[in-house]
Amino acid sequence: LLLFLLAEVSNLYCHLLLSSLRPSTTIGAPPSRPIPHGFLFRYLACPNYLCEVLAWVGFSLLTFLPLSFLFTLVGASQMLQWAQLKHKAYLKEHGDAYKKLKRRAMIPGIL
């Protein structure tokens, strides 16, 4: 239960940080994707996905239902794909400025 709650609160905080970076919408202006900083963004491009997966792991451990574990596994694989795409987009948009941060896509030190 503690894992689930901690992961959900962390996920909320990641989303609040990301929403604070949204530019005001201007018609015709291309969207800009600034590099998020702080909290788990020091290590990852998409810590919100990691927190989401950890919350589902906590939920699966609480229920201990096979379908819950399957849902967690499928969701994690999808979020990992999204994280890798976003990581590549940051590299393409920000080049060396992002590269020198040495972040991973979703799993610290691994991926």
Side-chain angles (χ1 to χ4, degrees):
L1 180 61
L2 186 60
L3 174 63
F4 174 79
L5 293 174
L6 184 62
E8 283 296 326
V9 169
S10 297
N11 192 16
L12 172 65
Y13 188 64
C14 288
H15 283 287
L16 291 174
L17 286 173
L18 287 171
S19 69
S20 72
L21 296 175
R22 284 190 193 142
S24 59
T25 56
T26 306
I27 297 173
S32 174
R33 186 192 323 242
I35 301 172
H37 293 280
F39 191 51
L40 297 173
F41 287 101
R42 280 182 246 157
Y43 313 104
L44 303 171
C46 300
N48 50 317
Y49 294 154
L50 174 64
C51 293
E52 182 78 22
V53 169
L54 290 175
W56 280 110
V57 168
F59 178 84
S60 296
L61 290 172
L62 283 170
T63 62
F64 223 75
L65 296 170
L67 286 177
S68 178
F69 285 103
L70 178 63
F71 180 86
T72 301
L73 182 64
V74 170
S77 65
Q78 180 61 61
M79 285 184 255
L80 181 58
Q81 289 176 5
W82 292 337
Q84 289 172 324
L85 288 173
K86 188 167 281 193
H87 184 62
K88 287 178 185 176
Y90 282 137
L91 283 168
K92 184 178 179 182
E93 265 183 68
H94 300 285
D96 289 337
Y98 183 77
K99 202 179 282 188
K100 74 178 180 181
L101 296 172
K102 298 181 182 176
R103 293 184 184 175
R104 300 294 185 183
M106 189 173 115
I107 302 171
I110 299 172
L111 235 125

